[in-house]
mmCIF file with all atom_site columns, all heavy atoms in Angstrom:
data_model
loop_
_atom_site.group_PDB
_atom_site.id
_atom_site.type_symbol
_atom_site.label_atom_id
_atom_site.label_alt_id
_atom_site.label_comp_id
_atom_site.label_asym_id
_atom_site.label_entity_id
_atom_site.label_seq_id
_atom_site.pdbx_PDB_ins_code
_atom_site.Cartn_x
_atom_site.Cartn_y
_atom_site.Cartn_z
_atom_site.occupancy
_atom_site.B_iso_or_equiv
_atom_site.pdbx_formal_charge
_atom_site.auth_seq_id
_atom_site.auth_comp_id
_atom_site.auth_asym_id
_atom_site.auth_atom_id
_atom_site.pdbx_PDB_model_num
ATOM 1   N N   . PRO A 1 153 ? 9.818  -80.161 -30.197 1.00 0.00 ? 153 PRO A N   1
ATOM 2   C CA  . PRO A 1 153 ? 9.384  -79.199 -29.170 1.00 0.00 ? 153 PRO A CA  1
ATOM 3   C C   . PRO A 1 153 ? 7.864  -78.994 -29.182 1.00 0.00 ? 153 PRO A C   1
ATOM 4   O O   . PRO A 1 153 ? 7.207  -79.136 -30.220 1.00 0.00 ? 153 PRO A O   1
ATOM 5   C CB  . PRO A 1 153 ? 10.114 -77.915 -29.568 1.00 0.00 ? 153 PRO A CB  1
ATOM 6   C CG  . PRO A 1 153 ? 11.323 -78.382 -30.326 1.00 0.00 ? 153 PRO A CG  1
ATOM 7   C CD  . PRO A 1 153 ? 10.870 -79.596 -31.066 1.00 0.00 ? 153 PRO A CD  1
ATOM 8   N N   . LEU A 1 154 ? 7.334  -78.602 -28.032 1.00 0.00 ? 154 LEU A N   1
ATOM 9   C CA  . LEU A 1 154 ? 5.889  -78.465 -27.840 1.00 0.00 ? 154 LEU A CA  1
ATOM 10  C C   . LEU A 1 154 ? 5.212  -77.535 -28.862 1.00 0.00 ? 154 LEU A C   1
ATOM 11  O O   . LEU A 1 154 ? 4.124  -77.880 -29.334 1.00 0.00 ? 154 LEU A O   1
ATOM 12  C CB  . LEU A 1 154 ? 5.602  -77.982 -26.414 1.00 0.00 ? 154 LEU A CB  1
ATOM 13  C CG  . LEU A 1 154 ? 4.136  -77.738 -26.053 1.00 0.00 ? 154 LEU A CG  1
ATOM 14  C CD1 . LEU A 1 154 ? 3.313  -79.015 -26.224 1.00 0.00 ? 154 LEU A CD1 1
ATOM 15  C CD2 . LEU A 1 154 ? 4.016  -77.233 -24.616 1.00 0.00 ? 154 LEU A CD2 1
ATOM 16  N N   . PRO A 1 155 ? 5.777  -76.381 -29.237 1.00 0.00 ? 155 PRO A N   1
ATOM 17  C CA  . PRO A 1 155 ? 5.059  -75.522 -30.183 1.00 0.00 ? 155 PRO A CA  1
ATOM 18  C C   . PRO A 1 155 ? 4.656  -76.230 -31.473 1.00 0.00 ? 155 PRO A C   1
ATOM 19  O O   . PRO A 1 155 ? 3.595  -75.940 -32.031 1.00 0.00 ? 155 PRO A O   1
ATOM 20  C CB  . PRO A 1 155 ? 6.063  -74.396 -30.455 1.00 0.00 ? 155 PRO A CB  1
ATOM 21  C CG  . PRO A 1 155 ? 6.845  -74.298 -29.189 1.00 0.00 ? 155 PRO A CG  1
ATOM 22  C CD  . PRO A 1 155 ? 6.996  -75.723 -28.729 1.00 0.00 ? 155 PRO A CD  1
ATOM 23  N N   . ALA A 1 156 ? 5.471  -77.176 -31.934 1.00 0.00 ? 156 ALA A N   1
ATOM 24  C CA  . ALA A 1 156 ? 5.147  -77.903 -33.162 1.00 0.00 ? 156 ALA A CA  1
ATOM 25  C C   . ALA A 1 156 ? 3.957  -78.833 -32.969 1.00 0.00 ? 156 ALA A C   1
ATOM 26  O O   . ALA A 1 156 ? 3.265  -79.179 -33.937 1.00 0.00 ? 156 ALA A O   1
ATOM 27  C CB  . ALA A 1 156 ? 6.355  -78.699 -33.641 1.00 0.00 ? 156 ALA A CB  1
ATOM 28  N N   . VAL A 1 158 ? 1.349  -78.098 -30.990 1.00 0.00 ? 158 VAL A N   1
ATOM 29  C CA  . VAL A 1 158 ? 0.169  -77.323 -30.585 1.00 0.00 ? 158 VAL A CA  1
ATOM 30  C C   . VAL A 1 158 ? -1.021 -77.478 -31.537 1.00 0.00 ? 158 VAL A C   1
ATOM 31  O O   . VAL A 1 158 ? -2.154 -77.653 -31.074 1.00 0.00 ? 158 VAL A O   1
ATOM 32  C CB  . VAL A 1 158 ? 0.542  -75.838 -30.378 1.00 0.00 ? 158 VAL A CB  1
ATOM 33  C CG1 . VAL A 1 158 ? -0.696 -74.940 -30.402 1.00 0.00 ? 158 VAL A CG1 1
ATOM 34  C CG2 . VAL A 1 158 ? 1.253  -75.680 -29.034 1.00 0.00 ? 158 VAL A CG2 1
ATOM 35  N N   . GLU A 1 182 ? -5.614 -75.046 -21.503 1.00 0.00 ? 182 GLU A N   1
ATOM 36  C CA  . GLU A 1 182 ? -4.940 -74.303 -20.434 1.00 0.00 ? 182 GLU A CA  1
ATOM 37  C C   . GLU A 1 182 ? -3.610 -74.936 -20.045 1.00 0.00 ? 182 GLU A C   1
ATOM 38  O O   . GLU A 1 182 ? -2.622 -74.236 -19.817 1.00 0.00 ? 182 GLU A O   1
ATOM 39  C CB  . GLU A 1 182 ? -5.847 -74.211 -19.205 1.00 0.00 ? 182 GLU A CB  1
ATOM 40  C CG  . GLU A 1 182 ? -6.952 -73.199 -19.330 1.00 0.00 ? 182 GLU A CG  1
ATOM 41  C CD  . GLU A 1 182 ? -7.601 -72.882 -17.987 1.00 0.00 ? 182 GLU A CD  1
ATOM 42  O OE1 . GLU A 1 182 ? -7.474 -73.688 -17.033 1.00 0.00 ? 182 GLU A OE1 1
ATOM 43  O OE2 . GLU A 1 182 ? -8.232 -71.824 -17.891 1.00 0.00 ? 182 GLU A OE2 1
ATOM 44  N N   . SER A 1 183 ? -3.573 -76.264 -19.935 1.00 0.00 ? 183 SER A N   1
ATOM 45  C CA  . SER A 1 183 ? -2.332 -76.919 -19.522 1.00 0.00 ? 183 SER A CA  1
ATOM 46  C C   . SER A 1 183 ? -1.240 -76.723 -20.580 1.00 0.00 ? 183 SER A C   1
ATOM 47  O O   . SER A 1 183 ? -0.060 -76.564 -20.251 1.00 0.00 ? 183 SER A O   1
ATOM 48  C CB  . SER A 1 183 ? -2.560 -78.409 -19.252 1.00 0.00 ? 183 SER A CB  1
ATOM 49  O OG  . SER A 1 183 ? -3.063 -79.066 -20.393 1.00 0.00 ? 183 SER A OG  1
ATOM 50  N N   . THR A 1 184 ? -1.633 -76.705 -21.858 1.00 0.00 ? 184 THR A N   1
ATOM 51  C CA  . THR A 1 184 ? -0.651 -76.464 -22.922 1.00 0.00 ? 184 THR A CA  1
ATOM 52  C C   . THR A 1 184 ? -0.158 -75.022 -22.868 1.00 0.00 ? 184 THR A C   1
ATOM 53  O O   . THR A 1 184 ? 1.045  -74.753 -23.012 1.00 0.00 ? 184 THR A O   1
ATOM 54  C CB  . THR A 1 184 ? -1.262 -76.760 -24.301 1.00 0.00 ? 184 THR A CB  1
ATOM 55  O OG1 . THR A 1 184 ? -1.837 -78.077 -24.284 1.00 0.00 ? 184 THR A OG1 1
ATOM 56  C CG2 . THR A 1 184 ? -0.204 -76.707 -25.386 1.00 0.00 ? 184 THR A CG2 1
ATOM 57  N N   . LEU A 1 185 ? -1.080 -74.066 -22.665 1.00 0.00 ? 185 LEU A N   1
ATOM 58  C CA  . LEU A 1 185 ? -0.680 -72.666 -22.505 1.00 0.00 ? 185 LEU A CA  1
ATOM 59  C C   . LEU A 1 185 ? 0.287  -72.497 -21.336 1.00 0.00 ? 185 LEU A C   1
ATOM 60  O O   . LEU A 1 185 ? 1.297  -71.791 -21.441 1.00 0.00 ? 185 LEU A O   1
ATOM 61  C CB  . LEU A 1 185 ? -1.923 -71.796 -22.273 1.00 0.00 ? 185 LEU A CB  1
ATOM 62  C CG  . LEU A 1 185 ? -2.727 -71.402 -23.508 1.00 0.00 ? 185 LEU A CG  1
ATOM 63  C CD1 . LEU A 1 185 ? -4.088 -70.860 -23.097 1.00 0.00 ? 185 LEU A CD1 1
ATOM 64  C CD2 . LEU A 1 185 ? -1.966 -70.373 -24.334 1.00 0.00 ? 185 LEU A CD2 1
ATOM 65  N N   . ASP A 1 186 ? -0.045 -73.154 -20.245 1.00 0.00 ? 186 ASP A N   1
ATOM 66  C CA  . ASP A 1 186 ? 0.784  -73.047 -19.042 1.00 0.00 ? 186 ASP A CA  1
ATOM 67  C C   . ASP A 1 186 ? 2.195  -73.573 -19.314 1.00 0.00 ? 186 ASP A C   1
ATOM 68  O O   . ASP A 1 186 ? 3.188  -72.955 -18.934 1.00 0.00 ? 186 ASP A O   1
ATOM 69  C CB  . ASP A 1 186 ? 0.130  -73.830 -17.905 1.00 0.00 ? 186 ASP A CB  1
ATOM 70  C CG  . ASP A 1 186 ? 0.413  -73.209 -16.547 1.00 0.00 ? 186 ASP A CG  1
ATOM 71  O OD1 . ASP A 1 186 ? 0.503  -71.973 -16.474 1.00 0.00 ? 186 ASP A OD1 1
ATOM 72  O OD2 . ASP A 1 186 ? 0.558  -73.964 -15.578 1.00 0.00 ? 186 ASP A OD2 1
ATOM 73  N N   . GLU A 1 187 ? 2.271  -74.721 -19.996 1.00 0.00 ? 187 GLU A N   1
ATOM 74  C CA  . GLU A 1 187 ? 3.572  -75.328 -20.285 1.00 0.00 ? 187 GLU A CA  1
ATOM 75  C C   . GLU A 1 187 ? 4.392  -74.433 -21.212 1.00 0.00 ? 187 GLU A C   1
ATOM 76  O O   . GLU A 1 187 ? 5.601  -74.265 -21.031 1.00 0.00 ? 187 GLU A O   1
ATOM 77  C CB  . GLU A 1 187 ? 3.368  -76.708 -20.914 1.00 0.00 ? 187 GLU A CB  1
ATOM 78  C CG  . GLU A 1 187 ? 4.640  -77.529 -21.001 1.00 0.00 ? 187 GLU A CG  1
ATOM 79  C CD  . GLU A 1 187 ? 4.401  -78.949 -21.475 1.00 0.00 ? 187 GLU A CD  1
ATOM 80  O OE1 . GLU A 1 187 ? 3.232  -79.392 -21.488 1.00 0.00 ? 187 GLU A OE1 1
ATOM 81  O OE2 . GLU A 1 187 ? 5.387  -79.610 -21.854 1.00 0.00 ? 187 GLU A OE2 1
ATOM 82  N N   . LEU A 1 188 ? 3.737  -73.829 -22.213 1.00 0.00 ? 188 LEU A N   1
ATOM 83  C CA  . LEU A 1 188 ? 4.447  -72.936 -23.126 1.00 0.00 ? 188 LEU A CA  1
ATOM 84  C C   . LEU A 1 188 ? 4.965  -71.702 -22.400 1.00 0.00 ? 188 LEU A C   1
ATOM 85  O O   . LEU A 1 188 ? 6.140  -71.334 -22.529 1.00 0.00 ? 188 LEU A O   1
ATOM 86  C CB  . LEU A 1 188 ? 3.507  -72.495 -24.258 1.00 0.00 ? 188 LEU A CB  1
ATOM 87  C CG  . LEU A 1 188 ? 3.210  -73.498 -25.374 1.00 0.00 ? 188 LEU A CG  1
ATOM 88  C CD1 . LEU A 1 188 ? 2.093  -72.973 -26.255 1.00 0.00 ? 188 LEU A CD1 1
ATOM 89  C CD2 . LEU A 1 188 ? 4.448  -73.776 -26.202 1.00 0.00 ? 188 LEU A CD2 1
ATOM 90  N N   . ASN A 1 189 ? 4.085  -71.054 -21.622 1.00 0.00 ? 189 ASN A N   1
ATOM 91  C CA  . ASN A 1 189 ? 4.460  -69.796 -20.982 1.00 0.00 ? 189 ASN A CA  1
ATOM 92  C C   . ASN A 1 189 ? 5.468  -69.991 -19.863 1.00 0.00 ? 189 ASN A C   1
ATOM 93  O O   . ASN A 1 189 ? 6.426  -69.227 -19.738 1.00 0.00 ? 189 ASN A O   1
ATOM 94  C CB  . ASN A 1 189 ? 3.208  -69.079 -20.473 1.00 0.00 ? 189 ASN A CB  1
ATOM 95  C CG  . ASN A 1 189 ? 2.372  -68.503 -21.605 1.00 0.00 ? 189 ASN A CG  1
ATOM 96  O OD1 . ASN A 1 189 ? 2.906  -68.055 -22.610 1.00 0.00 ? 189 ASN A OD1 1
ATOM 97  N ND2 . ASN A 1 189 ? 1.054  -68.522 -21.455 1.00 0.00 ? 189 ASN A ND2 1
ATOM 98  N N   . ARG A 1 190 ? 5.254  -71.007 -19.037 1.00 0.00 ? 190 ARG A N   1
ATOM 99  C CA  . ARG A 1 190 ? 6.192  -71.247 -17.927 1.00 0.00 ? 190 ARG A CA  1
ATOM 100 C C   . ARG A 1 190 ? 7.539  -71.742 -18.440 1.00 0.00 ? 190 ARG A C   1
ATOM 101 O O   . ARG A 1 190 ? 8.569  -71.528 -17.815 1.00 0.00 ? 190 ARG A O   1
ATOM 102 C CB  . ARG A 1 190 ? 5.600  -72.240 -16.939 1.00 0.00 ? 190 ARG A CB  1
ATOM 103 C CG  . ARG A 1 190 ? 4.425  -71.678 -16.147 1.00 0.00 ? 190 ARG A CG  1
ATOM 104 C CD  . ARG A 1 190 ? 4.060  -72.577 -14.980 1.00 0.00 ? 190 ARG A CD  1
ATOM 105 N NE  . ARG A 1 190 ? 2.835  -72.167 -14.333 1.00 0.00 ? 190 ARG A NE  1
ATOM 106 C CZ  . ARG A 1 190 ? 2.718  -71.130 -13.514 1.00 0.00 ? 190 ARG A CZ  1
ATOM 107 N NH1 . ARG A 1 190 ? 3.775  -70.386 -13.243 1.00 0.00 ? 190 ARG A NH1 1
ATOM 108 N NH2 . ARG A 1 190 ? 1.548  -70.829 -12.971 1.00 0.00 ? 190 ARG A NH2 1
ATOM 109 N N   . GLY A 1 191 ? 7.515  -72.449 -19.589 1.00 0.00 ? 191 GLY A N   1
ATOM 110 C CA  . GLY A 1 191 ? 8.759  -72.996 -20.133 1.00 0.00 ? 191 GLY A CA  1
ATOM 111 C C   . GLY A 1 191 ? 9.505  -72.035 -21.038 1.00 0.00 ? 191 GLY A C   1
ATOM 112 O O   . GLY A 1 191 ? 10.551 -72.378 -21.598 1.00 0.00 ? 191 GLY A O   1
ATOM 113 N N   . GLY A 1 192 ? 8.964  -70.803 -21.210 1.00 0.00 ? 192 GLY A N   1
ATOM 114 C CA  . GLY A 1 192 ? 9.634  -69.835 -22.067 1.00 0.00 ? 192 GLY A CA  1
ATOM 115 C C   . GLY A 1 192 ? 9.516  -70.129 -23.543 1.00 0.00 ? 192 GLY A C   1
ATOM 116 O O   . GLY A 1 192 ? 10.270 -69.589 -24.355 1.00 0.00 ? 192 GLY A O   1
ATOM 117 N N   . LEU A 1 193 ? 8.547  -70.994 -23.931 1.00 0.00 ? 193 LEU A N   1
ATOM 118 C CA  . LEU A 1 193 ? 8.369  -71.359 -25.341 1.00 0.00 ? 193 LEU A CA  1
ATOM 119 C C   . LEU A 1 193 ? 7.345  -70.418 -25.968 1.00 0.00 ? 193 LEU A C   1
ATOM 120 O O   . LEU A 1 193 ? 6.223  -70.809 -26.292 1.00 0.00 ? 193 LEU A O   1
ATOM 121 C CB  . LEU A 1 193 ? 7.909  -72.820 -25.453 1.00 0.00 ? 193 LEU A CB  1
ATOM 122 C CG  . LEU A 1 193 ? 8.859  -73.858 -24.842 1.00 0.00 ? 193 LEU A CG  1
ATOM 123 C CD1 . LEU A 1 193 ? 8.200  -75.212 -24.771 1.00 0.00 ? 193 LEU A CD1 1
ATOM 124 C CD2 . LEU A 1 193 ? 10.141 -73.933 -25.659 1.00 0.00 ? 193 LEU A CD2 1
ATOM 125 N N   . HIS A 1 194 ? 7.726  -69.164 -26.134 1.00 0.00 ? 194 HIS A N   1
ATOM 126 C CA  . HIS A 1 194 ? 6.763  -68.126 -26.517 1.00 0.00 ? 194 HIS A CA  1
ATOM 127 C C   . HIS A 1 194 ? 6.636  -68.038 -28.040 1.00 0.00 ? 194 HIS A C   1
ATOM 128 O O   . HIS A 1 194 ? 7.066  -67.055 -28.652 1.00 0.00 ? 194 HIS A O   1
ATOM 129 C CB  . HIS A 1 194 ? 7.157  -66.786 -25.898 1.00 0.00 ? 194 HIS A CB  1
ATOM 130 C CG  . HIS A 1 194 ? 7.271  -66.831 -24.411 1.00 0.00 ? 194 HIS A CG  1
ATOM 131 N ND1 . HIS A 1 194 ? 6.213  -67.232 -23.601 1.00 0.00 ? 194 HIS A ND1 1
ATOM 132 C CD2 . HIS A 1 194 ? 8.306  -66.573 -23.581 1.00 0.00 ? 194 HIS A CD2 1
ATOM 133 C CE1 . HIS A 1 194 ? 6.606  -67.184 -22.335 1.00 0.00 ? 194 HIS A CE1 1
ATOM 134 N NE2 . HIS A 1 194 ? 7.854  -66.805 -22.297 1.00 0.00 ? 194 HIS A NE2 1
ATOM 135 N N   . ASP A 1 195 ? 6.061  -69.061 -28.628 1.00 0.00 ? 195 ASP A N   1
ATOM 136 C CA  . ASP A 1 195 ? 5.820  -69.085 -30.067 1.00 0.00 ? 195 ASP A CA  1
ATOM 137 C C   . ASP A 1 195 ? 4.508  -68.337 -30.345 1.00 0.00 ? 195 ASP A C   1
ATOM 138 O O   . ASP A 1 195 ? 3.442  -68.792 -29.922 1.00 0.00 ? 195 ASP A O   1
ATOM 139 C CB  . ASP A 1 195 ? 5.731  -70.530 -30.544 1.00 0.00 ? 195 ASP A CB  1
ATOM 140 C CG  . ASP A 1 195 ? 5.528  -70.636 -32.039 1.00 0.00 ? 195 ASP A CG  1
ATOM 141 O OD1 . ASP A 1 195 ? 4.394  -70.379 -32.491 1.00 0.00 ? 195 ASP A OD1 1
ATOM 142 O OD2 . ASP A 1 195 ? 6.485  -70.994 -32.745 1.00 0.00 ? 195 ASP A OD2 1
ATOM 143 N N   . ALA A 1 198 ? 1.589  -70.400 -31.955 1.00 0.00 ? 198 ALA A N   1
ATOM 144 C CA  . ALA A 1 198 ? 1.063  -71.437 -31.062 1.00 0.00 ? 198 ALA A CA  1
ATOM 145 C C   . ALA A 1 198 ? 0.190  -70.816 -29.979 1.00 0.00 ? 198 ALA A C   1
ATOM 146 O O   . ALA A 1 198 ? -0.917 -71.295 -29.691 1.00 0.00 ? 198 ALA A O   1
ATOM 147 C CB  . ALA A 1 198 ? 2.208  -72.233 -30.439 1.00 0.00 ? 198 ALA A CB  1
ATOM 148 N N   . LEU A 1 199 ? 0.671  -69.734 -29.362 1.00 0.00 ? 199 LEU A N   1
ATOM 149 C CA  . LEU A 1 199 ? -0.094 -69.069 -28.296 1.00 0.00 ? 199 LEU A CA  1
ATOM 150 C C   . LEU A 1 199 ? -1.392 -68.483 -28.835 1.00 0.00 ? 199 LEU A C   1
ATOM 151 O O   . LEU A 1 199 ? -2.452 -68.614 -28.210 1.00 0.00 ? 199 LEU A O   1
ATOM 152 C CB  . LEU A 1 199 ? 0.751  -67.979 -27.643 1.00 0.00 ? 199 LEU A CB  1
ATOM 153 C CG  . LEU A 1 199 ? 1.943  -68.452 -26.796 1.00 0.00 ? 199 LEU A CG  1
ATOM 154 C CD1 . LEU A 1 199 ? 2.834  -67.283 -26.419 1.00 0.00 ? 199 LEU A CD1 1
ATOM 155 C CD2 . LEU A 1 199 ? 1.456  -69.178 -25.540 1.00 0.00 ? 199 LEU A CD2 1
ATOM 156 N N   . LEU A 1 202 ? -4.013 -71.176 -29.399 1.00 0.00 ? 202 LEU A N   1
ATOM 157 C CA  . LEU A 1 202 ? -4.582 -71.696 -28.154 1.00 0.00 ? 202 LEU A CA  1
ATOM 158 C C   . LEU A 1 202 ? -5.528 -70.684 -27.504 1.00 0.00 ? 202 LEU A C   1
ATOM 159 O O   . LEU A 1 202 ? -6.621 -71.048 -27.056 1.00 0.00 ? 202 LEU A O   1
ATOM 160 C CB  . LEU A 1 202 ? -3.461 -72.070 -27.183 1.00 0.00 ? 202 LEU A CB  1
ATOM 161 C CG  . LEU A 1 202 ? -2.600 -73.273 -27.602 1.00 0.00 ? 202 LEU A CG  1
ATOM 162 C CD1 . LEU A 1 202 ? -1.334 -73.349 -26.754 1.00 0.00 ? 202 LEU A CD1 1
ATOM 163 C CD2 . LEU A 1 202 ? -3.388 -74.570 -27.478 1.00 0.00 ? 202 LEU A CD2 1
ATOM 164 N N   . ALA A 1 443 ? -0.323 -69.464 -16.810 1.00 0.00 ? 443 ALA A N   1
ATOM 165 C CA  . ALA A 1 443 ? 0.680  -68.400 -16.771 1.00 0.00 ? 443 ALA A CA  1
ATOM 166 C C   . ALA A 1 443 ? 0.498  -67.473 -17.958 1.00 0.00 ? 443 ALA A C   1
ATOM 167 O O   . ALA A 1 443 ? 0.062  -67.889 -19.029 1.00 0.00 ? 443 ALA A O   1
ATOM 168 C CB  . ALA A 1 443 ? 2.083  -69.004 -16.784 1.00 0.00 ? 443 ALA A CB  1
#
Side-chain angles (χ1 to χ4, degrees):
L154 178 59
V158 162
E182 283 195 340
S183 59
T184 308
L185 279 166
D186 212 34
E187 191 173 346
L188 284 170
N189 288 325
R190 290 192 188 284
L193 301 169
H194 303 303
D195 182 285
L199 291 170
L202 292 167

